[in-house]
Amino acid sequence: MFCNALAKEDGAANLIAFRGQLAFVILNLYPYSSGHLLVVPFKHAATLEELDPATRAELMELATQCMSILRKIYKPQAFNMGANIGEAAGAGVPGHVHIHVVPRWGADTNFMTALGETRVLPETLEDTYLRVRGEFSSRQKN
Ligand SMILES: [Zn+2]
């Protein structure tokens, strides 16, 4: 899935917001909240151990930049950041390791649970995409 997205031109169709040297940032197609981003290595590897140290360092750097950008756009109160490595851990794409960066607001999960698992999002994926991509490109210019 990530490799398929990489093969396409960047835009609202593949949801890739930023390409770095060794890794990229893509919107989660099934976000837990607006601004749910994934940081993914270009290399198709199932675990962090299969990556080289430079790639692991870039994953962490991009995850940190994602938080700065999300803080600016959405002013979240907190973040969840982490990876589900392996199918038994709940990895959605078990063959290609990725780090989730999820902005959080107080009681947001309770709110969504109350609505019966329906993921209510205040904006469309395309809007989120345009905002996040815009922030990444303005950082590149600075
Ligand atoms: Zn892949």
Side-chain angles (χ1 to χ4, degrees):
M1 171 197 148
F2 296 130
C3 293
N4 289 342
L6 279 170
K8 292 178 193 155
E9 198 181 327
D10 293 354
N14 75 353
L15 298 176
I16 292 178
F18 180 73
R19 292 187 191 232
Q21 301 292 313
L22 301 165
F24 63 102
V25 176
I26 187 170
L27 266 66
N28 192 338
L29 191 54
Y30 306 105
Y32 295 126
S33 67
S34 278
H36 182 167
L37 302 179
L38 305 174
V39 184
V40 191
F42 289 133
K43 183 182 172 187
H44 183 92
T47 74
L48 292 170
E49 300 105 291
E50 291 172 44
L51 302 172
D52 58 36
T55 304
R56 289 194 290 262
E58 189 169 322
L59 290 175
M60 185 57 71
E61 175 56 27
L62 285 180
T64 307
Q65 288 187 28
C66 285
M67 284 189 269
S68 299
I69 282 170
L70 293 171
R71 229 186 259 289
K72 188 172 172 191
I73 301 175
Y74 297 105
K75 303 186 170 43
Q77 294 170 335
F79 290 97
N80 287 116
M81 187 187 106
N84 302 324
I85 296 172
E87 237 164 319
V93 187
H96 200 147
V97 68
H98 52 283
I99 296 173
H100 294 257
V101 180
V102 187
R104 299 294 303 267
W105 294 263
D108 54 0
T109 323
N110 294 342
F111 174 67
M112 283 190 274
T113 308
L115 293 173
E117 305 283 317
T118 311
R119 285 167 174 162
V120 180
L121 299 167
E123 69 180 9
T124 66
L125 263 186
E126 185 167 356
D127 287 340
T128 305
Y129 177 76
L130 293 172
R131 295 173 82 179
V132 171
R133 186 175 169 81
E135 281 300 324
F136 267 110
S137 51
S138 67
R139 287 168 81 92
Q140 292 310 104
K141 284 171 206 142
N142 294 335

